[in-house]
Amino acid sequence: ESCDKQLDDIKVIKKHMGFDNLSIRLMEAITLRVKNPDSSLQELSDISEEVVGRYISKSGISHCMKDLENIANTLRNKESEK
């Protein structure tokens, strides 16, 4: 799961539905990834407290990225059905 793929998923979500309906935890993951496009999940976890104000474990961030990927894929599929 590459950083580029995660950033692309975030772009798709932003374009097709915006961020208003996303949970705080997903928004925190997006903030971490967008501000640190090349960092590993472990690095994002290490800086999570200073960036979003609370510690998020590596697996927590990984789960968020998976959720974002699922949302983005759903949006991509809807788009391709049009």
Side-chain angles (χ1 to χ4, degrees):
E1 180 70 329
S2 72
C3 308
D4 291 341
K5 172 83 175 73
Q6 292 168 354
L7 288 166
D8 189 56
D9 290 341
I10 291 167
K11 277 193 195 110
V12 167
I13 293 168
K14 185 174 184 179
K15 178 180 173 195
H16 293 288
M17 66 174 263
F19 296 149
D20 292 347
N21 297 321
L22 296 179
S23 66
I24 290 171
R25 88 188 176 91
L26 291 180
M27 282 310 306
E28 289 171 342
I30 288 172
T31 300
L32 282 166
R33 172 49 75 214
V34 170
K35 288 188 175 182
N36 307 279
D38 301 320
S39 299
S40 68
L41 294 180
Q42 183 59 60
E43 289 166 334
L44 294 181
S45 173
D46 293 342
I47 59 169
S48 61
E49 203 150 358
E50 65 191 70
V51 177
V52 297
R54 72 183 185 97
Y55 172 75
I56 308 171
S57 66
K58 178 184 171 186
S59 70
I61 293 172
S62 177
H63 282 292
C64 289
M65 293 304 170
K66 260 279 164 268
D67 290 348
L68 292 169
E69 181 184 16
N70 291 337
I71 294 168
N73 286 340
T74 301
L75 293 169
R76 285 186 187 103
N77 292 340
K78 279 188 186 150
E79 197 56 28
S80 66
E81 286 167 13
K82 285 181 183 169

